[in-house]
Amino acid sequence: MIQAFGLTSNPRKELPPAVDDVSFEVRAGRVTALLGASGAGKTTVLRLMLELQHGRGLTHFRGRPLHRIAHPSREVGVLLGDVPGHPGRTVRGHLRMLCAAAGVPVQRADEVMESVELLSLRDERLGTLSRGMDRRLGLACALVADPHTLVFDDPVGALSVREARRLHGALRAHAVQGGTVLFSTADPKEAARAADHVVTLEQGRVVADQEAVDFARTRLRPRVAVRTPHAARLGALLAQEARSARRSVEVVREGGNRLAVYGSTCADIGEAAFRHGILVHQLADEVGDMGPGAGVGADACAGDGGSAVAPSARQRAADSERAPAPRRPTVARPSPTGPPRPTATDPPSAGSAEADERAPDVDRAGAAVSQASAAGTDQPSAPGNPHPPVAERTPHEAAEAPGSTARRGSTPRTHATLAPGTTASTLPPPISVRSAPSPLRPLRYEIRRALGISTAFVVGAVVLVVSAVMAVVLARIGHTPHARLLAAWPRELPLPPAALGAGLLGALSFGDEFRHPALAADRGTVPRRLGLLTAKLLVSAAVALVLAALAAGTNAEVLHLFYGRELARIPSDWSALGAGWAALVVGCAWAGVLAAGLFRSTTAGLAAVVAVPVVVVPLVQKVWEGPDVRTAAGFPLRVREVLLTQWPFGGERYVAEVLRVVVQPVGGAMTLSLTTLLCAYLLTTLRSRTR
């Protein structure tokens, strides 16, 4: 169940807010449509509910706000706009990556693909999917974690009739199993056909909150409202004349002395009443329930015995009082003595409660239009309770939602009112935008993300080819030290190809995710969490080491092939050179990861990698060789003397070689850069958590 209280967006400059005090309820086991024309505020309402946009208000998903839910993806499945994801990733790979993020077994991907009929397209790339297949994939992504609630923004936009019917059938099946479904649409017929409950927005405000039966009867078609003391006689007369003239006219008794006539005009009804001497108190063209914006420009006429007179505002108010009033939403009014509690904005009438009990489940719009619901007159509320709570869900409605108690964690609906004597604030609490949580299995998620597309393999192949060609060319030219020859690292370049490739792959680990946010698709960003960062650092380090080993081995084999064993021999100090080579490529990969995560850009990550030897190394050398700085010559030897420790298996030798690598200008510059980037990343992470 969803309860939205007083959702209000922040105004921009001097413009009014796009959404102003929107409140409604979405019940479990039912499909609810959020209806409104383009610009009415549907998407803004959904973003405020999901805490994706700053504003005011409160939204409870089964009694809890979204930021108080440990794993939101297991509670709410979301699809806003197109399905984000790398176009080169397969359907199965994308869903399996989301399974790792949600912490569910990988077999869940095949299950949801089968449920949305995507199993035959499991190996297709996301960039090749049609619009209909993209919508199915969006539904599958939302269902991966088996959420209780589905929130979709215009799910059938630009789909064919067949695809739209299939998607709405899947949403209906989720509701039948006890889930909660909310979708937005601009098509009134779609809302009446696919939803059980319709919330209508106009200019950022709720103008109607109705059952689909009432919506189809009152807001879907224009009608003529008639008020006469001889309502039964006039209704029978109009129906008889329509049958005689073979016209499609529908007459609905709305209780008391009020009629609603569909398929006729004020003139025809007035003439018929005049001919038969029937007194008419009101005769007016209406569109919908005459809410804000409804019936604008409609001709109004009233008559006594057929004479045309414009109805007064008092008559319209009296007429609306006799009409079946839809349930009104609840609004959160925070109390200074406790948390915000919902109160009813408009007291429900006894007649509306009776109409709700008799309202059938609307999955069939045609039957809903033809079956008119009866209504009574309003009864005043008790003097001691000026704001009675909204009517509870009736047993009949509970029976209409089969399986509503089958889903885990489903709870009955509850309501609360303000305590007596408390004063309410004029504004609901502010909505603060919060980052999405990290994946439940970050390492598994990162491995699937990195290996799910061909980018890493293409970059690795290009690096190996370029490195081998450069090694051959450098050996042909000469004057290149043997160690740099094996790394294909000429003095003119700041970094060898393997280090640049490792830095690029590290930058892509965050950069691709910001471009194609698969982890937090609905939020459009990647969370700054230490678990996710650690997973990315580990995977990028492993990829960098593999790339460095393959590059060195490939260069040695190519040199042996072209020039013999002389240039392909292993250096005597191979351990120190290997440690320095590994530290260089891993440092470049980590610099790319941290910079791309900090600046949210692959280009920025690669620029940070190149800046280390180009900018940072000269600065470090200048400071290191300055007259006021003692040199670090013999630093490893002095460390060994201070420790006076004999490491097992000759481990002190490796420690000394690592220290010797660190005190080199490139090693010192890389260490300084990584420390700076890591501190900046941690600082921004703590800052975002504080917010």
Side-chain angles (χ1 to χ4, degrees), residues 139-466:
L139 178 60
C141 294
L143 293 175
V144 159
D146 192 21
H148 178 270
T149 302
L150 294 181
V151 177
F152 282 18
D153 185 17
D154 194 15
V156 299
L159 290 186
S160 64
V161 176
R162 181 181 178 184
E163 290 290 344
R165 187 181 299 113
R166 179 177 298 173
L167 182 58
H168 279 304
L171 297 181
R172 169 65 58 184
H174 183 81
V176 166
Q177 295 176 4
T180 304
V181 178
L182 172 65
F183 72 92
S184 67
T185 180
D187 186 1
K189 295 182 179 179
E190 177 191 350
R193 180 171 55 250
D196 304 315
H197 194 86
V198 181
V199 180
T200 307
L201 293 180
E202 284 188 11
Q203 298 180 358
R205 289 179 174 270
V206 175
V207 297
D209 189 347
Q210 303 168 289
E211 297 294 328
V213 173
D214 297 331
F215 169 78
R217 180 176 54 82
T218 61
R219 296 192 67 87
L220 196 58
R221 298 185 300 171
R223 61 178 178 175
V224 178
V226 184
R227 191 162 57 88
T228 172
H230 310 287
R233 180 185 170 194
L234 180 59
L237 177 63
L238 294 176
Q240 181 180 358
E241 290 187 353
R243 286 193 299 269
S244 301
R246 295 185 178 181
R247 291 187 303 157
S248 177
V249 175
E250 182 182 358
V251 181
V252 178
R253 287 288 304 275
E254 293 192 343
N257 58 356
R258 193 174 189 277
L259 295 176
V261 183
Y262 299 92
S264 186
T265 63
C266 284
D268 292 340
I269 298 173
E271 290 176 1
F274 179 78
R275 286 196 305 269
H276 294 83
I278 298 176
L279 178 67
V280 176
H281 290 163
Q282 181 187 12
L283 197 60
D285 285 328
E286 292 184 352
V287 177
D289 61 351
M290 299 305 292
V296 176
D299 295 328
C301 55
D304 187 352
S307 59
V309 180
S312 64
R314 185 184 301 256
Q315 289 174 332
R316 288 181 179 271
D319 179 66
S320 62
E321 288 178 359
R322 291 180 174 87
R327 285 191 302 271
R328 302 300 297 170
T330 57
V331 180
R333 300 300 183 193
S335 170
T337 59
R341 304 179 181 181
T343 60
T345 57
D346 288 337
S349 63
S352 62
E354 294 174 2
D356 291 339
E357 292 178 0
R358 290 190 293 269
D361 184 21
V362 182
D363 188 26
R364 303 158 293 278
V369 173
S370 60
Q371 297 173 0
S373 63
T377 58
D378 286 346
Q379 296 180 359
S381 58
N385 186 13
H387 296 285
V390 179
E392 293 287 332
R393 187 176 182 181
T394 63
H396 179 70
E397 291 171 336
E400 287 174 352
S404 59
T405 59
R407 298 186 63 85
R408 64 175 180 269
S410 61
T411 56
R413 202 176 150 197
T414 59
H415 296 276
T417 56
L418 280 175
T422 59
T423 58
S425 174
T426 57
L427 290 177
I431 297 174
S432 58
V433 177
R434 301 171 188 270
S435 62
S438 295
L440 297 183
R441 304 291 185 271
L443 187 59
R444 189 175 70 176
Y445 163 80
E446 181 59 23
I447 292 174
R448 292 191 181 279
R449 189 209 60 78
L451 302 181
I453 55 178
S454 60
T455 302
F457 303 100
V458 172
V459 171
V462 171
V463 165
L464 295 180
V465 171
V466 173

Side-chain angles (χ1 to χ4, degrees), residues 463 487 495-505 547-548 581 584-586 588-589 606 609:
V463 165
L495 288 173
L500 285 174
L504 176 59
L505 292 178
L547 186 61
W581 178 237
L584 177 64
V585 293
V586 171
C588 289
L606 189 59
V609 173

